[in-house]
Amino acid sequence: AQSVTQPDIHITVSEGASLELRCNYSYGATPYLFWYVQSPGQGLQLLLKYFSGDTLVQGIKGFEAEFKRSQSSFNLRKPSVHWSDAAEYFCAVGEKGGSYIPTFGRGTSLIVHP
Amino acid sequence: DAGVIQSPRHEVTEMGQEVTLRCKPISGHNSLFWYRQTMMRGLELLIYFNNNVPIDDSGMPEDRFSAKMPNASFSTLKIQPSEPRDSAVYFCASSFSVGGLKEQYFGPGTRLTVT
């Protein structure tokens, strides 16, 4: 069965600092990979996705993620964090050509210090 | 596009009462998902519909929960009777999934409190 691990429950960064959120997946086939963000009191919003092609994908709000098949990882990065980036971040994986049901990680809570 | 619409946004009810949550997916989407989110259990998939047909309801906690999708533009999640442990935020999400999972679009959620 596929699984997604987000090893960091909480991450604290200072405003303006760089950010990397980790995501590892366990999956045998070609995965579809997603990052979502959830601001307090809101639903999840898609940040970016990877289906195929260039392994470095750009998303909204200045985020990017890199798919590394050899490491089964899809880490999310941002060069300079803004206070408004404080939120919960979820990594999700789906199956290419298969089940339409994604598997979500438990989420990483990002805290931004001024 | 208005996005996924959920109603009500907040619901407070007493134990034993029936609760109905509503969802209008994005027009043209063929997949609809109901999730429940709590601090303890995180985000849980309750049920998944494809082309209005329930495909996977293995996440539905028990017979007190039921979901319907009478047409492509409307779905309901009903809890009868409700219990305090059902208190959570319930999300509806839709997607256009052909040839495999695509990105999901989430509604703002319904915060349910059962006293």
Side-chain angles (χ1 to χ4, degrees):
Chain A
Q2 60 194 48
S3 65
V4 179
T5 302
Q6 293 181 247
D8 303 304
I9 298 175
H10 303 281
I11 281 193
T12 301
V13 299
S14 298
E15 191 169 17
S18 63
L19 171 70
E20 182 170 33
L21 301 183
R22 295 182 292 166
C23 174
N24 294 96
Y25 65 91
S26 173
Y27 198 77
T30 301
Y32 285 172
L33 298 159
F34 309 86
W35 275 100
Y36 292 85
V37 60
Q38 183 180 27
S39 297
Q42 298 185 23
L44 281 68
Q45 179 187 18
L46 180 72
L47 278 176
L48 47 78
K49 62 188 178 186
Y50 172 80
F51 290 164
S52 64
D54 192 345
T55 56
L56 183 63
V57 294
Q58 303 296 320
I60 62 171
K61 306 184 183 201
F63 285 91
E64 67 178 25
E66 186 171 11
F67 170 53
K68 293 185 177 180
R69 185 185 298 275
S70 62
Q71 298 177 20
S72 297
S73 69
F74 189 56
N75 294 348
L76 183 71
R77 301 194 294 249
K78 187 170 185 178
S80 178
V81 171
H82 188 262
W83 64 266
S84 60
D85 294 324
E88 190 85 13
Y89 291 81
F90 293 90
C91 181
V93 61
E95 177 181 4
K96 181 178 180 179
S99 168
Y100 291 11
I101 300 174
T103 299
F104 279 85
R106 285 300 305 265
T108 297
S109 177
L110 175 64
I111 301 166
V112 181
H113 281 169
Chain B
D1 195 325
V4 176
I5 299 172
Q6 291 187 248
S7 65
R9 292 294 311 276
H10 302 274
E11 178 79 39
V12 180
T13 190
E14 293 183 346
M15 182 175 62
Q17 297 298 306
E18 177 179 296
V19 175
T20 299
L21 311 182
R22 297 173 176 79
C23 174
K24 177 179 171 56
I26 292 173
S27 177
H29 282 187
N30 64 346
S31 296
L32 185 138
F33 307 78
W34 281 101
Y35 289 91
R36 177 172 67 178
Q37 186 178 42
T38 62
M39 290 292 293
M40 290 297 295
R41 296 186 297 269
L43 191 67
E44 302 173 279
L45 176 67
L46 299 177
I47 188 168
Y48 156 60
F49 291 88
N50 185 255
N51 293 323
N52 312 337
V53 176
I55 302 300
D56 187 336
D57 65 355
S58 59
M60 296 286 264
E62 49 200 271
D63 292 344
R64 298 185 298 107
F65 285 68
S66 62
K68 294 182 180 180
M69 192 165 186
N71 56 62
S73 59
F74 184 65
S75 177
T76 59
L77 178 68
K78 184 178 294 185
I79 307 173
Q80 166 64 18
S82 58
E83 297 183 3
R85 60 191 168 125
D86 301 330
S87 297
V89 181
Y90 290 81
F91 290 103
C92 175
S94 70
S95 70
F96 180 68
S97 294
V98 176
L101 174 71
K102 299 298 191 290
E103 63 269 28
Q104 296 173 300
Y105 295 82
F106 283 76
T110 295
R111 181 173 294 277
L112 174 65
T113 302
V114 183
T115 61

